[in-house]
Amino acid sequence: QVQLVESGGGLVQPGGSLRLSCAGSGSIFSINNMGWYRQAPGKQRKLVASITSGGMTNYADSVKGRFTISRDNAKNTVFLQMNSLRPEDTAVYYCNADIATTWYGSHMAYWGKGTLVTVSS
């Protein structure tokens, strides 16, 4: 069984910073893409940033220049450094990873349960 567990959310003032972490555990053979999505109240879940196993990154236009995604392949962990936070960044942030549990299996998408980020004064 595979689990993705996020941490690092919380309340921060506008202009502040937070660092989210997501650690994978369980029967993990390999991980391809990892990413962060967010869902604000009443809105659809949207991609924030993603990173390949080789380190290539992709960002939503709304966070470019403010957020940085990185990963530690040895620890099955992905990070999201969020700087210059704005009230509109308030959302539940979800970790996503494409994981194979055996050498012969295909990669499937797994999700964490989410961590709440609130940007408010």
Side-chain angles (χ1 to χ4, degrees):
Q1 191 171 357
V2 172
Q3 280 191 320
L4 294 175
V5 179
E6 302 100 335
S7 61
L11 174 64
V12 63
Q13 292 187 340
S17 298
L18 281 176
R19 188 182 194 227
L20 305 183
S21 300
C22 171
S25 63
S27 302
I28 296 174
F29 178 76
S30 71
I31 304 178
N32 283 347
N33 290 354
M34 303 184 81
W36 290 94
Y37 289 70
R38 67 186 181 187
Q39 186 168 18
K43 295 188 177 181
Q44 289 185 330
R45 190 177 300 187
K46 293 185 177 180
L47 176 69
V48 175
S50 64
I51 184 168
T52 68
S53 57
M56 292 184 64
T57 59
N58 178 54
Y59 296 93
D61 287 343
S62 59
V63 307
K64 282 181 181 177
R66 300 188 298 124
F67 291 10
T68 302
I69 189 170
S70 60
R71 63 190 282 175
D72 183 337
N73 291 330
K75 296 183 179 180
N76 296 327
T77 300
V78 62
F79 306 97
L80 186 68
Q81 178 66 43
M82 305 186 294
N83 299 329
S84 302
L85 282 161
R86 305 167 180 170
E88 53 263 39
D89 295 317
T90 296
V92 178
Y93 285 70
Y94 296 91
C95 173
N96 169 269
D98 294 330
I99 298 173
T101 56
T102 62
W103 66 268
Y104 53 84
S106 57
H107 289 78
M108 296 176 58
Y110 288 84
W111 292 89
K113 293 183 178 180
T115 185
L116 177 62
V117 172
T118 303
V119 184
S120 176
S121 55

